[in-house]
Amino acid sequence: MNYEIYGDVESKVTILAIPALGERKEFYLPLAKQLSSFRWIVCELPGHNGYDTKGISINSYIHNLKNLLDSLDVINVHLVGTSIGATIIQAFYQQYTEVVQSLFLLDGGYYFLGERQGLQEEMTVQKIDNFEDIKEAVHKFTYSIERLQPQNYEQFEHYFLGNYIMDTGYYRHHCDSDSYNALSKEVETINYCLNNQPSISLNLLLAENSLDTYTTEKLKEFQLRYPLANVQVIQNGHHYLPLTHTEEVKVFLQHNIANDM
């Protein structure tokens, strides 16, 4: 298991965080720095950032996560997941309910993706000779995002530049395309979302710019199904919440974890 521990290793509060599809564990680093009094265990997805595990299912992945927690003597954990990570932490909770203290779904996991056809395009490997081309594309992408704080632009751009690695003479995205596509297909064919209201705190933080007519209806269904869930929408929020709206996510986590203590 590829992972990193951030924050206070002696903290009584442990967070296990899973990034979005295609992202690295450093996705959570700015947030972990702002919540450094917690212990953060941030894990790579299969086939991501050197975690060279192909053909792995979500069920076997969450088994590996539980083994990791056991090896670190973690008996209680708050789960945080972004996008596909929000789906994975629900699957983990359903397998290992006894160790989970709360669930934090960040812009994902509030409906079964298989209900929405044609959502995910397959990833293909792109070989790029010149890193300056990557820098230009990342810069353009970063500053196409509207109304962020200056520090969020800077950390977003810095993070995304780290997504590209040198491989046999050319640059490519760190993520293995087969693993990316397999994980994407799995969450579109198997519904890992919760079946009913959990006995622990369920928290959903959404980015306003991710909502359209379809997902707004799904949000309403989520709130009816889980009436005790804490739901918040960040105005002008963007999908990569830990990077684009770090302060807002920090406050959301801090407040709701404190309520669980």
Side-chain angles (χ1 to χ4, degrees):
M1 175 66 70
N2 263 15
Y3 71 97
E4 192 75 46
I5 298 179
Y6 303 130
D8 182 1
V9 296
E10 302 296 330
S11 176
K12 294 181 180 179
V13 175
T14 299
I15 294 172
L16 175 65
I18 308 299
L21 189 62
E23 306 309 327
R24 299 172 288 121
K25 59 183 180 294
E26 289 81 6
F27 184 78
Y28 285 106
L29 183 55
L31 185 58
K33 286 181 177 178
Q34 291 208 29
L35 290 171
S36 59
S37 63
F38 299 157
R39 172 169 59 168
W40 289 77
I41 304 171
V42 187
C43 298
E44 303 288 6
L45 291 166
H48 290 57
N49 199 25
Y51 182 27
D52 189 17
T53 305
K54 297 183 179 180
I56 188 170
S57 68
I58 287 175
N59 277 330
S60 55
Y61 176 61
I62 63 176
H63 179 70
N64 291 346
L65 292 174
K66 180 60 166 59
N67 285 342
L68 173 63
L69 294 180
D70 290 343
S71 72
L72 297 172
D73 296 321
V74 176
I75 58 174
N76 294 115
V77 68
H78 299 272
L79 299 182
V80 175
T82 301
S83 194
I84 195 175
T87 298
I88 290 171
I89 65 171
Q90 291 176 83
F92 183 98
Y93 169 73
Q94 292 175 85
Q95 289 266 2
Y96 303 108
T97 305
E98 69 282 358
V99 303
V100 182
Q101 292 179 283
S102 64
L103 291 165
F104 289 89
L105 317 180
L106 305 184
D107 213 44
Y110 59 102
Y111 71 96
F112 173 41
L113 291 175
E115 297 173 353
R116 188 170 193 174
Q117 299 300 315
L119 185 65
Q120 184 68 52
E121 295 181 1
E122 285 200 349
M123 177 186 182
T124 56
V125 175
Q126 292 185 332
K127 300 179 180 180
I128 305 171
D129 295 324
N130 188 353
F131 193 72
E132 291 301 315
D133 293 340
I134 296 173
K135 289 175 65 175
E136 182 180 348
V138 168
H139 184 80
K140 184 177 180 180
F141 174 52
T142 300
Y143 287 91
S144 69
I145 302 173
E146 298 179 344
R147 292 180 285 172
L148 298 185
Q149 295 297 319
Q151 66 269 21
N152 292 108
Y153 281 115
E154 292 167 8
Q155 69 187 20
F156 188 90
E157 184 170 21
H158 175 76
Y159 166 80
F160 266 87
L161 284 174
N163 271 347
Y164 295 88
I165 60 173
M166 173 66 77
D167 181 12
T168 61
Y170 61 86
Y171 293 95
R172 66 167 178 84
H173 196 271
H174 72 88
C175 179
D176 170 71
S177 59
D178 289 340
S179 298
Y180 180 103
N181 292 330
L183 287 169
S184 176
K185 182 177 180 181
E186 185 171 358
V187 294
E188 289 185 5
T189 54
I190 302 174
N191 187 0
Y192 289 107
C193 296
L194 298 176
N195 295 319
N196 46 48
Q197 181 78 44
S199 59
I200 58 170
S201 173
L202 175 61
N203 308 277
L204 172 62
L205 186 61
L206 291 173
E208 183 183 34
N209 288 325
S210 295
L211 293 171
D212 55 20
T213 302
Y214 183 85
T215 52
T216 299
E217 285 302 313
K218 289 300 176 183
L219 174 57
K220 292 177 182 177
E221 292 176 13
F222 177 90
Q223 291 176 296
L224 287 172
R225 191 161 56 249
Y226 312 114
L228 301 180
N230 301 310
V231 178
Q232 182 177 326
V233 179
I234 296 180
Q235 290 187 344
N236 193 46
H238 298 271
H239 184 57
Y240 302 99
L241 289 173
L243 294 172
T244 57
H245 296 79
T246 312
E247 178 65 25
E248 292 93 330
V249 179
K250 179 198 81 170
V251 171
F252 186 75
L253 288 175
Q254 201 167 38
H255 173 74
N256 288 298
I257 287 176
N259 286 341
D260 292 332
M261 295 176 67

